[in-house]
Amino acid sequence: MKTTILKGTVVSAPALGKLDITENGYLVAVDGIIQGVYETLPPQFAGCAVEDCGSDLILQSFADMHLHAPQYPMLGMGMDLPLLKWLDTYTFPTEAKFADTGLARQVYRQLAAELAKNGTTRVCMFSSLHREATLILMEELESAGITGYVGKVNMDRNGGVNLQETTEESIWETRRWLDECGDFPHIKPIITPRFTPSCTDELMKALGEIAGAQNLPIQSHLSENTGEIAWVSELHPECAQYWETYAKYGLWNSRTLMAHCVWSDERERRAIRDAGVWVVHCADSNQNILSGVAPIWVMLNEGVRVTLGSDIAGGDHLSMFDVAAASIRASKARSILDNWQTDFLTVAEGWYLATSAGAEFFGEKPGFAPGNPLHAIVLRDDALPAVRKLTARERFERCVYRRQEGALRAVWSAGRKIYAAE
Ligand code: GUN
Ligand code: FE
C-alpha cells in the first residue's frame, strides 16, 4: 500500500461555481486513489511521509478535452485565416508530414512533456490519419504519464492529395489501429471522424458501427464556423441540421465529445442536451481562426455539459490556465454582444470547466472527491507582489490569470508524480 500525502492550501471545484478551500490541509491518496481532504491528518495516516508544500496552492490538474497533436509544430501560424482556408493552407499540409514516424516520435515526445509541465494530465486528442504515428503518440503520452483518449483521424474526402484515405483504407486502418492499441494502461482509443466534410456517409456508417460494437467514445467537430455549416448543408440536404449528420450514423450519444458548437442554435443545443453529448468549448481557437463567440453561459443554463479544450493549433498555447481565462473573457464578450441579456462565467466556474467538468467525462466525481484517481498540481505564488495578505481565494483567482515564473512546482497524474520543478 502506497500512501501519498500533500500538505498545503488545498482548493478544488466540487460543483459549478463552488470552491472548497482548506488552508494547511492534507490531500491524501492511497495507491493513487484520493481518500479525502482533511484539516488535520487522520490517525490512520500518522507516521506516513508527508510532502509539505508550505503555503503553496494544491489544485486539481487540468483536462484538455480537445487538441490536435500533429498541429503542435504550427502553433501560432496561419492565424490570419478563417477555419476552412486555414485547414487547407496550414493544417492539412502539416498533418500530412506525420506519415514520417521519426518526426512523429520527436514531436510527440516534446508535446507529451509540455503537457505534463503545464499540469494537463487528462486529454482527448486528435492524432492525424496515420495509424503508425497515432500509436507513437499513444506511447509517448503513456510514458510521460498523461491519461485519456487518442483518436486516429478518419478522412476519406476533401483532404487534398497528401492527406486522404480511401473509404476502405480508412475503415481497415481504424480496425487495425484498434487491434494494435489495446495494451496501454492509461491511454485509450476514441473514434474520430474529423468532421462531416472529411467523411463520406459510408465511412461515417462504418465508424458508428465500430464505436457501437467496441463500446468506444467518439470525438469530432460541430458548428464551428458559418462557412463550414453551409458546406455541410450542401453535402447533406437530407439533414435539417449539422448534428443530424452524426446522429444518423450512431455517432451521437452520451460518450460523444463535440468541439466548438459556436453556432449551435436552440434546436441543436436541445439535441446536444437530450443525447448527453459533451460540448468542448475552445475559446482561443474560436477567436484566432475567426469562428465566433460561443454561448457557453446559455448552454450551461440549459443543462448542456460543457468542458474546455486548447484546440491547438487553432488555439495558440497548451496552458489550460490561459484557456480557462480565455473562456471567461469570451463569456463576457458574449454577454456584451447579447446586450447583457446573458450572464458570464465567474473564475470559479471557468476553473470548474477546465478541471472537474472534463474529469467527469473520464468517470471521476467533481473536485478532490474520495475514489477519484489523484490528479493534482502544486502551484507557488510567493514571488508575486501584494500590498496586503491575500485570502486563499484571492491567491487562487490571481493565479488563474497571472502566474510567477516557474509557478508549477509538481504535477500528479493518476497517482504518479509526473513532473517536479528543479
Ligand atoms: N474542423 C476540422 N478539422 C479541424 C481542425 O483541425 N481544427 C479546427 N479548429 N477545426 C477543425
Ligand atoms: Fe479542433
Side-chain angles (χ1 to χ4, degrees), residues 145-171:
I146 310 295
T147 70
Y149 293 112
V150 166
K152 176 218 166 311
V153 168
N154 296 97
M155 38 197 311
D156 69 341
R157 64 176 174 187
N158 298 316
V161 271
N162 292 322
L163 196 69
Q164 194 163 299
E165 316 154 295
T166 65
T167 308
E168 296 69 37
E169 257 168 5
S170 190
I171 298 168

Side-chain angles (χ1 to χ4, degrees), residues 66-68 71 126 221 224 259-260 282 285 311-312:
H66 182 81
L67 70 165
H68 297 262
Q71 296 174 25
F126 282 50
H221 296 89
E224 176 175 4
H260 302 285
C282 305
S285 171
D311 193 27
I312 69 156

Side-chain angles (χ1 to χ4, degrees), residues 66 68 71 83 86-87 91-92 95 194-195 198 221 224 228 260 285 289 311 314:
H66 182 81
H68 297 262
Q71 296 174 25
L83 172 69
W86 173 81
L87 287 175
T91 313
F92 292 170
E95 290 196 14
R194 179 173 210 119
F195 68 157
S198 298
H221 296 89
E224 176 175 4
E228 170 210 17
H260 302 285
S285 171
I289 52 174
D311 193 27

Side-chain angles (χ1 to χ4, degrees), residues 13-127:
L16 184 66
K18 186 166 185 280
L19 291 177
D20 271 350
I21 300 176
T22 311
E23 292 192 64
N24 293 311
Y26 298 85
L27 170 61
V28 179
V30 173
D31 291 334
I33 303 298
I34 293 176
Q35 306 297 301
V37 176
Y38 309 97
E39 284 177 8
T40 54
L41 196 61
Q44 70 266 34
F45 302 117
C48 296
V50 174
E51 189 153 328
D52 190 346
C53 306
S55 71
D56 288 354
L57 296 163
I58 300 171
L59 309 170
Q60 293 160 265
S61 61
F62 296 110
D64 188 343
M65 303 302 284
H66 182 81
L67 70 165
H68 297 262
Q71 296 174 25
Y72 182 51
M74 51 173 275
L75 276 177
M77 290 167 65
M79 303 272 94
D80 297 337
L81 296 175
L83 172 69
L84 298 177
K85 282 199 183 123
W86 173 81
L87 287 175
D88 283 340
T89 314
Y90 282 92
T91 313
F92 292 170
T94 304
E95 290 196 14
K97 304 270 190 220
F98 285 78
D100 176 345
T101 52
L103 175 78
R105 179 73 65 194
Q106 181 203 338
V107 170
Y108 292 157
R109 185 162 294 177
Q110 189 177 337
L111 170 65
E114 195 180 336
L115 284 166
K117 80 173 196 227
N118 276 284
T120 297
T121 61
R122 315 167 193 83
V123 293
C124 284
M125 198 181 262
F126 282 50
S127 176

Side-chain angles (χ1 to χ4, degrees), residues 69-381:
Q71 296 174 25
Y72 182 51
M74 51 173 275
L75 276 177
M77 290 167 65
M79 303 272 94
D80 297 337
L81 296 175
L83 172 69
L84 298 177
K85 282 199 183 123
W86 173 81
L87 287 175
D88 283 340
T89 314
Y90 282 92
T91 313
F92 292 170
T94 304
E95 290 196 14
K97 304 270 190 220
F98 285 78
D100 176 345
T101 52
L103 175 78
R105 179 73 65 194
Q106 181 203 338
V107 170
Y108 292 157
R109 185 162 294 177
Q110 189 177 337
L111 170 65
E114 195 180 336
L115 284 166
K117 80 173 196 227
N118 276 284
T120 297
T121 61
R122 315 167 193 83
V123 293
C124 284
M125 198 181 262
F126 282 50
S127 176
S128 56
L129 55 74
H130 311 97
R131 176 178 47 79
E132 281 146 325
T134 304
L135 290 166
I136 289 169
L137 173 59
M138 296 173 94
E139 269 171 32
E140 290 299 329
L141 292 170
E142 186 71 55
S143 60
I146 310 295
T147 70
Y149 293 112
V150 166
K152 176 218 166 311
V153 168
N154 296 97
M155 38 197 311
D156 69 341
R157 64 176 174 187
N158 298 316
V161 271
N162 292 322
L163 196 69
Q164 194 163 299
E165 316 154 295
T166 65
T167 308
E168 296 69 37
E169 257 168 5
S170 190
I171 298 168
W172 167 250
E173 288 291 285
T174 301
R175 289 192 186 283
R176 193 164 160 202
W177 163 63
L178 290 169
D179 286 343
E180 288 170 353
C181 74
D183 290 338
F184 298 110
H186 299 96
I187 297 291
K188 303 291 178 191
I190 181 167
I191 294 297
T192 308
R194 179 173 210 119
F195 68 157
T196 298
S198 298
C199 300
T200 61
D201 285 33
E202 196 186 341
L203 178 55
M204 288 286 211
K205 181 164 175 288
L207 294 176
E209 286 166 4
I210 293 171
Q214 303 197 27
N215 192 23
L216 296 171
I218 296 146
Q219 60 182 356
S220 195
H221 296 89
L222 179 67
S223 298
E224 176 175 4
N225 163 293
T226 49
E228 170 210 17
I229 295 167
W231 192 14
V232 170
S233 78
E234 271 170 42
L235 292 166
H236 285 273
E238 79 287 4
C239 291
Q241 291 196 297
Y242 192 165
W243 66 273
E244 294 166 43
T245 65
Y246 297 111
K248 73 190 272 206
Y249 294 119
L251 296 162
W252 189 254
N253 60 50
S254 62
R255 295 182 71 211
T256 301
L257 290 159
M258 282 290 161
H260 302 285
C261 307
V262 175
W263 297 97
S264 298
D265 67 2
E266 204 175 332
R267 181 174 179 272
E268 188 162 89
R269 296 198 301 265
R270 202 175 321 123
I272 292 171
R273 187 198 54 203
D274 291 350
V277 165
W278 302 69
V279 168
V280 191
H281 177 43
C282 305
D284 292 296
S285 171
N286 291 344
Q287 197 155 6
N288 284 336
I289 52 174
L290 305 153
S291 297
V293 187
I296 290 309
W297 184 86
V298 170
M299 286 187 196
L300 288 167
N301 246 20
E302 292 171 344
V304 170
R305 298 195 285 200
V306 178
T307 63
L308 302 187
S310 66
D311 193 27
I312 69 156
D316 53 290
H317 51 78
L318 279 172
S319 168
M320 291 297 289
F321 284 105
D322 296 334
V323 169
S327 305
I328 295 164
R329 274 194 286 272
S331 75
K332 292 175 181 174
R334 185 69 265 162
S335 177
I336 295 164
L337 291 167
D338 294 339
N339 280 323
W340 312 101
Q341 299 304 300
T342 59
D343 213 338
F344 55 83
L345 299 175
T346 62
V347 178
E349 287 168 342
W351 186 257
Y352 178 88
L353 297 183
T355 56
S356 297
E360 281 192 80
F361 183 80
F362 298 105
E364 296 178 37
K365 295 187 271 316
F368 282 134
N372 282 351
L374 178 65
H375 285 277
I377 56 179
V378 177
L379 197 68
R380 184 160 299 171
D381 64 340

